[in-house]
Amino acid sequence: LLNASCNALGMICGVSFGALAASPEMREVISGAVNEVVRIAEAKGIRIPGEDYAAQILNTAEGLGVGLSSMLQDYRAGKRIEIEALNGVVVRLGKELGIPTPHNSTFYALGKVLQPHKVRGV
């Protein structure tokens, strides 16, 4: 849930987990992305422990503070980013299951464009 909702978003915005969680607007975006993953998990019969998943992820992001997502770190280093594994899979499963994934689809599209040129197609 954290990776699908915050990893690419941190890269796209170029900010820490804490900065994402500090923004009321980003909190809504993160919550939307979390809810997409939860709906897919439920449709596949996967029970995620806990409840109020968006609040859990936002609390985790706050706790990570100045920590940067691995995708942002990889992007800055010119390495291949994990957009396929973290958001691409959510988009594909959403399409298969008929579950809209507007947040993850946006993260995925932006990540594909931002993928460092030297590793595109790898």
Side-chain angles (χ1 to χ4, degrees), residues 16-100:
S16 68
F17 287 107
L20 291 173
S23 163
E25 295 82 7
M26 283 298 153
R27 292 176 74 84
E28 287 184 34
V29 171
I30 291 166
S31 295
V34 167
N35 291 332
E36 291 170 9
V37 176
V38 169
R39 284 193 295 276
I40 288 169
E42 288 172 349
K44 294 200 63 76
I46 299 168
R47 170 73 175 112
I48 303 170
E51 53 190 50
D52 199 356
Y53 305 109
Q56 289 179 33
I57 296 306
L58 289 165
N59 286 337
T60 299
E62 289 169 349
L64 291 169
V66 298
L68 302 177
S69 73
S70 58
M71 203 178 300
L72 175 55
Q73 293 176 53
D74 288 345
Y75 177 74
R76 287 181 172 171
K79 296 179 182 176
R80 183 177 182 190
I81 60 172
E82 52 209 329
I83 197 71
E84 293 292 338
L86 301 184
N87 301 99
V89 68
V90 174
V91 172
R92 284 188 295 284
L93 288 170
K95 286 180 182 175
E96 288 174 19
L97 298 166
I99 297 170

Side-chain angles (χ1 to χ4, degrees), residues 80 112 115-122:
R80 183 177 182 190
K112 294 292 284 184
Q115 177 76 269
H117 179 70
K118 68 181 183 179
V119 295
R120 281 193 183 149
V122 174

